[in-house]
Amino acid sequence: MSITLKTSEEIAKMRVAGRLAAEVLEMIEPFVIPGVTTGELDQICHDYMVGVQKVIPAPLNYKGFPRSICTSVNHQVCHGIPGPKKLRSGDIINIDITVIKDGYHGDTSQMFLVGEVNLRAKRLVKVCQEAMYLGIAQVRPGGRLGDIGHAIQRHAESHGYSVVQEFCGHGIGKVFHEDPQVLHYGKPGTGLVMEPGMIFTIEPMINLGKRYVKLLPDGWTAVTKDQSLSAQWEHMILVTHTGHEVLTLRTREIQTTGQKHAD
Ligand code: MF3
Ligand code: CO
Ligand code: CO
């Protein structure tokens, strides 16, 4: 496998795919409330992606994954399969959306707080998002992937949290998961040198307890071994000539980060 540098035509398509994935998260937000099942959230997202956006939900049938989105609740780390379980007040949930539009993938995820969530969980969710942004801030041509991992790990560990090592960010384009692997831990000044035209995700998973995970018998859902809470946020990033562009910003983030829409 090798790393693909995207052409300006491909970048234009990745911007569209990224924005569509972000819009699914914006659409689903008001539905993430106590009493809703993750299966219902999957159905609403599926219908919106297929019926309104005219995109392909990338997870559906991907290596046998049975649903259109991933929903990971509380101690579930990632790749949770939507089902009949109802969300309860106090839960935290990651919803991970990947769309395919015009042959190109858009991949992004965020945490949602369900009802009234305690401070311990809220802090974990916030620090994980900060860690992702600190990682993103390291993205520039000439920088190294290890700079990203180090920034994330340093922030998470400074709060006493741990970084999951079994899953990483990834190159993305026509292919869902391609090189490079973007680790969420590491040493500055090491690893691949970033170049303009690279597109990859940064998607740290941060645990309140120890970093270790195990797979449930469903073959997909990763959970923390010690049952501690876990959070994850994901954006898709383009390396530009001057720095980076986040391809999956939601409208509210555009207002707070000040990054402009491409158009
Ligand atoms: N969207 C996930 C990622 O960020 C991958 C999900 S693969 C699935 O890479 F099969 F579980 F959907
Ligand atoms: Co991803
Ligand atoms: Co994802």
Side-chain angles (χ1 to χ4, degrees):
M1 270 236 290
S2 59
I3 293 155
T4 61
L5 296 180
K6 272 71 180 175
T7 64
S8 53
E9 289 76 19
E10 288 183 296
I11 289 168
K13 290 180 181 177
M14 291 296 284
R15 281 198 185 102
V16 173
R19 181 164 333 165
L20 287 163
E23 283 173 3
V24 179
L25 290 175
E26 296 180 313
M27 180 281 299
I28 200 64
E29 177 169 11
F31 296 97
V32 187
I33 54 174
V36 75
T37 70
T38 51
E40 287 163 350
L41 296 175
D42 174 70
Q43 190 66 54
I44 297 164
C45 288
H46 176 92
D47 291 348
Y48 186 74
M49 289 188 269
V50 173
V52 178
Q53 295 185 319
K54 315 290 182 198
V55 302
I56 300 168
L60 189 58
N61 300 320
Y62 176 78
K63 298 184 176 173
F65 191 82
R67 302 279 174 203
S68 295
I69 67 172
C70 297
T71 51
S72 305
V73 182
N74 295 337
H75 71 294
Q76 297 180 345
V77 173
C78 64
H79 304 164
I81 302 175
K85 233 177 117 88
K86 282 193 168 96
L87 294 181
R88 296 162 43 162
S89 182
D91 286 346
I92 59 171
I93 178 176
N94 173 278
I95 299 183
D96 193 337
I97 303 293
T98 313
V99 307
I100 308 172
K101 182 69 168 181
D102 212 0
Y104 288 84
H105 289 75
D107 188 10
T108 183
S109 79
Q110 76 165 98
M111 297 300 296
F112 295 90
L113 307 175
V114 183
E116 294 299 320
V117 171
N118 69 36
L119 201 54
R120 249 163 71 90
K122 272 190 191 158
R123 279 202 192 109
L124 174 71
V125 166
K126 178 162 174 277
V127 169
C128 182
Q129 186 180 26
E130 290 166 355
M132 176 192 64
Y133 282 133
L134 288 167
I136 291 171
Q138 295 297 320
V139 179
R140 64 177 76 94
R144 303 279 199 111
L145 290 188
D147 303 343
I148 301 172
H150 176 74
I152 292 167
Q153 182 175 26
R154 197 176 113 113
H155 191 63
E157 291 180 355
S158 77
H159 288 266
Y161 303 142
S162 65
V163 176
V164 172
Q165 299 195 354
E166 284 79 359
F167 303 95
C168 57
H170 50 93
I172 183 166
K174 272 191 234 174
V175 175
F176 194 165
H177 296 106
E178 61 183 31
D179 281 346
Q181 293 197 3
V182 182
L183 303 184
H184 302 117
Y185 58 95
K187 292 200 194 339
T190 68
L192 185 80
V193 177
M194 293 177 254
E195 289 177 55
M198 286 179 181
I199 298 181
F200 50 77
T201 68
I202 298 179
E203 47 182 300
M205 285 140 276
I206 307 289
N207 299 346
L208 198 79
K210 296 208 182 340
R211 71 173 177 83
Y212 304 102
V213 303
K214 64 175 189 189
L215 212 56
L216 292 189
D218 65 21
W220 280 102
T221 313
V223 299
T224 54
K225 262 198 184 152
D226 62 8
Q227 302 267 74
S228 68
L229 284 182
S230 186
Q232 179 179 27
W233 293 78
E234 174 175 24
H235 269 315
M236 194 170 76
I237 320 295
L238 165 70
V239 184
T240 64
H241 287 278
T242 52
H244 62 263
E245 179 183 330
V246 182
L247 302 178
T248 42
L249 283 182
R250 299 176 294 283
T251 304
R252 209 178 323 142
E253 281 182 293
I254 293 168
Q255 288 157 2
T256 53
T257 62
Q259 180 176 298
K260 291 216 279 293
H261 264 303
D263 53 1

